[in-house]
């Protein structure tokens, strides 16, 4: 039970009818979960509007409702009107869970790329220093030993506050979370102040129907984080980093290769080990030490440098940072899987032309014997993505192995044919193998010394969606099965 008037204290509202001097049983924003004595918040979404479900909610016994438009309600129901019910839900949720972010150091990371990997690096460093750390992100939410698969990069505000509360109960001192532009735009992170806000980079993305109307809107939404944090840490090498500070209220710091950056990377070197690619560099400025990361490419320098800048505020020693960064892994993000000492195999979530091109260009810098790219495309999605990814792989790979991803309600062969159309614009060689396990068997059994093999598109996913059914399929499991069947277990 919670006191309604206390929950409303941080909200600008007007009482349309009823009494706020009352106790409510729970806070609800899904009409299907309405129950006697609850407070229901009407949210407007792309598909449905909570206001239209008020008769059902009131019929289920709701004691009070929060709305943003005029509604009719029985005399016994309290009606609270406010300008933005999404903001209201965030404020109410924070109060409902007794403002857990006031007791938890919350680190929010935003940007087009690098959010996921950076969160895991930060978690690895902080826990290496003895600070139990929760995580909220694209792949999962981690609370102690519990993992919860994610539906959204940044969950609804009620869930965020609930997770914060559970993290405190689990003994966490910190939480590191990915903050999407959609999450910021939809006010999911309102109602509390981040200890730190981090900007990795920005490129045109998430622009279109039901997302952002323009790049300018996308950028503005990202920048909202820096009006909601105490310390802002930004990539000084990104040409838009100053735009991120347009409405900031934080103390700003920078990282990057720029000599003016507070945390500066220099002397970058590519590192090649048996079955593994990485990078090393020197940190200077506010700290001075060398770093090595078993993840390839320049973007790995940015991700790890951001993690260094964040964790410096927790007084973490350089030895702990170095050890944690060397062992930090992110499922499905350039995830190395040891198959052979002679060639390198990795899994990555690259599932559009932009991310696949970035990955393949990075791997080309390591001068592989051959660069082999295995991928498919999802069904019931824009066909243009197939042509684009086919052209990228055909241009940058020595061999493309076209296979099935999540065909959904389309025929896998039809998707493959579209990918082939893109490859046909290049001189790239390809083979097509519809069954993904057989495609993986092909690239492993045909691996040559010096090869770099990428399994792209699935990443952290552990299923394959066919005709509306999600069948278990984890590429790590498939690789292990193939290795056993080939007698190559390592």
């Amino acid at each position: 039970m919670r006191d309604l008037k206390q929950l409303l204290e941080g909200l600008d509202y007007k009482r349309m009818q009823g009494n706020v001097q009352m106790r409510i049983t729970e806070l609800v924003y899904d009409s299907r979960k309405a129950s006697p004595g609850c407070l229901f918040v009407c949210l407007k979404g792309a598909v449905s509007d909570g206001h239209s479900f008020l008769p059902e909610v009131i019929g289920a016994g709701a004691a009070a409702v929060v709305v943003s438009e005029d509604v009719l309600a029985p005399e016994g129901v309290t009606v609270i009107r406010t300008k933005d019910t999404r903001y209201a839900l965030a404020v109410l949720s924070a109060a409902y869970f007794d403002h857990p972010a006031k007791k938890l150091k919350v680190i929010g990371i935003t940007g087009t790329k690098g959010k996921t990997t950076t969160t895991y690096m930060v978690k690895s460093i902080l826990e290496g220093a003895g600070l139990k750390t929760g995580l909220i992100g694209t792949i999962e939410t981690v609370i102690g030993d519990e993992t919860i698969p994610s539906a959204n990069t940044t969950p609804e505000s009620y869930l965020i506050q609930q997770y914060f509360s559970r993290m405190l109960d689990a003994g966490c001192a910190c939480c590191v979370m990915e903050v999407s532009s959609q999450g910021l735009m939809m006010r999911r992170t309102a109602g509390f102040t981040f200890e730190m806000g981090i900007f990795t980079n920005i490129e045109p993305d998430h622009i279109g129907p039901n997302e952002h109307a323009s790049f300018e809107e996308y950028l503005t939404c990202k920048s909202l984080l820096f009006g909601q944090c105490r310390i802002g840490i930004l990539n000084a090498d990104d040409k838009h980093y100053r735009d991120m500070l347009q409405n900031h209220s934080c103390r700003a710091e920078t990282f990057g290769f720029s000599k003016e950056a507070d945390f500066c990377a220099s002397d970058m070197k590519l590192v090649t080990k048996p079955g593994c690619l990485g990078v090393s560099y020197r940190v200077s400025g506010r700290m001075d030490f060398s770093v090595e990361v078993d993840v390839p490419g320049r973007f790995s320098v940015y991700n790890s440098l951001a993690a260094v800048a964040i964790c410096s505020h927790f007084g973490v020693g350089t030895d702990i940072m170095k050890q944690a960064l060397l062992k930090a892994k992110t499922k499905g993000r350039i995830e190395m899987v040891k198959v052979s000492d002679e060639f390198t195999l990795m899994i990555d979530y690259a599932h559009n032309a932009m991310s696949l091109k970035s990955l393949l260009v990075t791997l080309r810098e390591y001068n592989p014997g051959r660069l082999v790219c295995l991928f498919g495309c999802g069904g019931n999605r824009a066909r243009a993505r197939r042509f684009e990814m086919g052209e990228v792989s055909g241009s940058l790979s020595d061999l493309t192995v076209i296979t099935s991803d999540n065909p959904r309600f389309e025929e896998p062969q039809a998707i493959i044919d579209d990918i082939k159309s893109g490859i046909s614009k290049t001189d790239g060689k390809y083979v097509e193998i519809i069954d993904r396990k057989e495609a993986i068997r092909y690239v492993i059994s045909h691996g040559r010394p010096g090869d770099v093999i990428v399994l792209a598109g699935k990443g952290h996913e552990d299923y394959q969606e066919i005709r509306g059914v999600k069948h278990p399929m984890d590429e790590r499991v498939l690789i292990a099965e193939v290795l056993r069947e080939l007698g190559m277990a390592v």
Side-chain angles (χ1 to χ4, degrees), residues 333-400:
R333 299 306 196 273
I334 317 187
E335 179 186 353
M336 304 286 173
V337 181
K338 188 64 179 295
V339 170
S340 167
D341 285 342
E342 294 193 331
F343 60 86
T344 303
L345 183 142
M346 67 188 70
I347 297 171
D348 192 77
Y349 189 50
H351 59 288
N352 58 39
M354 181 176 68
S355 57
L356 186 63
K357 181 178 180 179
S358 175
L359 175 62
L360 296 179
V361 167
T362 292
L363 297 176
R364 271 281 168 216
E365 295 176 355
Y366 287 79
N367 297 314
R370 291 186 309 166
L371 182 54
V372 179
C373 180
L374 178 154
F375 80 98
C377 288
N380 302 107
R381 297 293 186 268
R383 289 182 68 198
R385 176 177 292 186
R386 306 168 192 177
F387 306 136
E388 292 164 357
M389 289 184 70
E391 187 170 357
V392 164
S393 186
S395 299
L396 295 172
S397 303
D398 296 295
L399 176 66
T400 300

Side-chain angles (χ1 to χ4, degrees), residues 147-427:
T147 59
I148 305 163
S150 295
N152 299 305
T153 296
T154 306
E156 190 52 80
S157 56
Y158 178 93
L159 278 178
I160 290 175
Q161 296 296 333
Q162 184 183 62
Y163 290 156
F164 287 168
S165 179
R166 291 177 58 187
M167 287 174 189
L168 285 176
D169 291 342
C172 292
C174 310
C175 171
V176 58
M177 64 180 289
E178 296 182 53
V179 183
S180 68
S181 56
Q182 287 284 313
L184 287 160
M185 182 174 71
M186 300 177 79
R187 312 308 297 273
R188 291 174 184 162
T189 62
F192 70 97
T193 301
F194 288 90
E195 183 66 21
M196 296 179 209
I198 287 78
F199 166 64
T200 60
N201 53 65
I202 191 165
E203 296 178 17
D205 198 12
H206 301 293
I207 298 166
N210 299 325
E211 291 194 280
H212 296 289
S214 64
F215 176 74
E216 289 70 28
E217 180 185 287
Y218 177 51
L219 187 151
T220 296
C221 288
K222 290 283 190 192
S223 74
L224 294 174
L225 178 60
F226 301 97
Q228 195 188 335
C229 65
R230 295 183 179 90
I231 300 169
I233 302 176
L234 301 94
N235 180 354
D237 297 343
D238 190 284
K239 65 181 181 181
H240 295 289
Y241 103 85
R242 294 189 188 280
D243 297 327
M244 285 290 126
L245 296 171
Q246 55 186 302
N247 295 305
H248 82 286
S249 58
C250 60
R251 187 175 86 241
E253 300 174 357
T254 56
F255 66 94
F257 285 89
S258 168
K259 287 184 170 59
E260 284 72 47
D262 296 303
F263 296 85
C264 175
S266 61
D267 197 25
M268 173 183 151
K269 293 182 175 65
L270 305 181
V271 176
T272 302
K273 302 175 184 177
C276 182
L277 305 176
V279 66
S280 67
Y281 63 97
R282 185 88 191 168
V283 180
S284 60
R286 295 197 180 178
M287 301 190 81
D288 186 10
F289 66 107
S290 296
V291 173
E292 184 174 325
V293 186
D294 280 349
V295 187
R298 192 178 182 88
F299 49 79
S300 297
V301 175
Y302 283 115
N303 295 339
S304 56
L305 188 59
V308 165
I310 293 163
C311 295
S312 71
H313 288 275
F314 292 87
V316 181
T318 57
D319 286 345
I320 291 173
M321 287 192 185
K322 291 169 73 167
Q323 292 168 14
L325 287 172
L326 196 55
K327 68 181 183 182
K329 306 294 178 190
T330 307
K331 187 177 182 181
R333 299 306 196 273
I334 317 187
E335 179 186 353
M336 304 286 173
V337 181
K338 188 64 179 295
V339 170
S340 167
D341 285 342
E342 294 193 331
F343 60 86
T344 303
L345 183 142
M346 67 188 70
I347 297 171
D348 192 77
Y349 189 50
H351 59 288
N352 58 39
M354 181 176 68
S355 57
L356 186 63
K357 181 178 180 179
S358 175
L359 175 62
L360 296 179
V361 167
T362 292
L363 297 176
R364 271 281 168 216
E365 295 176 355
Y366 287 79
N367 297 314
R370 291 186 309 166
L371 182 54
V372 179
C373 180
L374 178 154
F375 80 98
C377 288
N380 302 107
R381 297 293 186 268
R383 289 182 68 198
R385 176 177 292 186
R386 306 168 192 177
F387 306 136
E388 292 164 357
M389 289 184 70
E391 187 170 357
V392 164
S393 186
S395 299
L396 295 172
S397 303
D398 296 295
L399 176 66
T400 300
V401 179
I402 316 171
T403 187
S404 191
D405 193 287
N406 292 320
R408 298 186 177 89
F409 289 93
E410 287 194 64
E411 289 300 322
Q413 187 61 56
I415 298 172
I416 287 173
D417 289 343
D418 283 344
I419 295 171
K420 285 158 58 178
S421 294
I423 293 179
S424 68
K425 297 179 181 178
T426 74
D427 295 326

